[in-house]
Amino acid sequence: MNKRDRYQFYAALPALLLLASCASDVARDTEQDITTVPLTVTVMTFNVQNLFDNVDDPGKDDKAYLPIEAKQNDEHISECNEIEVASWRDECLNLDWSDAAIEHKLTVLANTIRQVGGGAGPDIIALQEVENAAILEQLRSGYLAALGYAPPVLVEGTDLRGIDVAFLSRFPLADAPTLHPLTLSEFPDRVGDTRGVLQADFQLADGSILTGFSVHFPAPFHPTEMRIAAYEHLNGLLQALPGSRPAFAAGDFNTTSREDSEKHVLDRYARPYWTLAHDIGCEGCNGTHYYARDDSWSFLDMILLAEARGEKTTVRFRADSVGIANHNPAQVSDHGTPERFRSARRSGVSDHWPMVATLELTQKQ
């Protein structure tokens, strides 16, 4: 290189270095975009309050959910009269669970689901109190047909009433779903009023797998120890997952605010393993369920998130996404509380309000 060439090279060097620096910054920004732009999944949990068909299902106590004309026989009347709770006995004898009643029920459920995502609905719905896959398929294909949900995920359980946990999802399954029964050896006389934990492994658009657990824990009138056993059961299923697998649990945990305040159930059995959606968001939310008898709100319905334990996947709640889906007027009573479904009046939706949250999943390259 002669003197003139050397002069021109060194004169241009600052510009070359600046260009190289910019290229490096672009490469870093591109790499950052690859590793930090998340895949989002919106999850809803929804206790749909007695979503039954009107066909008698042998082996299940579904006799209240039949058309009135099927209840006019001595055997049915006799069985209903054995029910001790007056409101349940009256429902068994007089509820007309007709095709028209089911149509109205499915319509208001669909309207509630559609309020999420500007009419598109959530990506995954964890449901509780569903009798069978057939009635859920009727909701999916007849009332939510345009929303792109795959066939229902439901495995029949052993609850005496026949109510099950289930999923509706836009994502395909990576494996067959599994219902993990809840065994309660200390409460053998109450096992019939329990539901297992439904596990579904969803394959996301980027090929990764997200595990969901749909739950419906024992009701509040049962001893706290039964719900503690249910939390321990769920936490054991989480620990059995591959270390890199993100997971969420959604459903009706039936832990009242009073029980939690007195016995610190969530601090002992949920928060050590999971992030609770309403802990990091849901500004102004009172809860998802209201007990009129003691004028109290509770987050019976929750969405829990477990971060992946590996190094390649991170997952978190988007804080501004957590909320209660209660903007369908039919869901809200005159007192501002959840309006349970009343078939005879064709009013209400469910005695639970759904919770919604968006998960952000990032795959590190």
Side-chain angles (χ1 to χ4, degrees), residues 201-216:
D201 300 325
F202 300 106
Q203 185 167 338
L204 305 183
D206 64 356
S208 63
I209 296 175
L210 171 67
T211 290
F213 298 106
S214 184
V215 309
H216 188 183

Side-chain angles (χ1 to χ4, degrees), residues 223-224 227 254-265:
T224 299
R227 282 174 293 287
N254 269 322
T255 303
T256 66
S257 55
R258 179 175 181 177
E259 178 178 70
D260 188 46
S261 175
E262 293 177 352
K263 302 190 178 181
H264 310 288
V265 175

Side-chain angles (χ1 to χ4, degrees), residues 160 183-194 221-223 226:
L160 289 179
T183 57
L184 298 167
S185 58
E186 296 181 11
F187 302 94
D189 58 330
R190 306 193 190 209
V191 172
D193 192 21
T194 62
F221 62 81
H222 291 301
M226 290 178 65

Side-chain angles (χ1 to χ4, degrees), residues 213-254:
F213 298 106
S214 184
V215 309
H216 188 183
F217 284 3
F221 62 81
H222 291 301
T224 299
E225 288 72 20
M226 290 178 65
R227 282 174 293 287
I228 289 175
Y231 278 107
E232 291 176 334
H233 179 49
L234 173 64
N235 294 336
L237 296 174
L238 173 64
Q239 296 302 312
L241 292 179
S244 60
R245 177 80 58 80
F248 70 90
D252 181 357
F253 290 79
N254 269 322

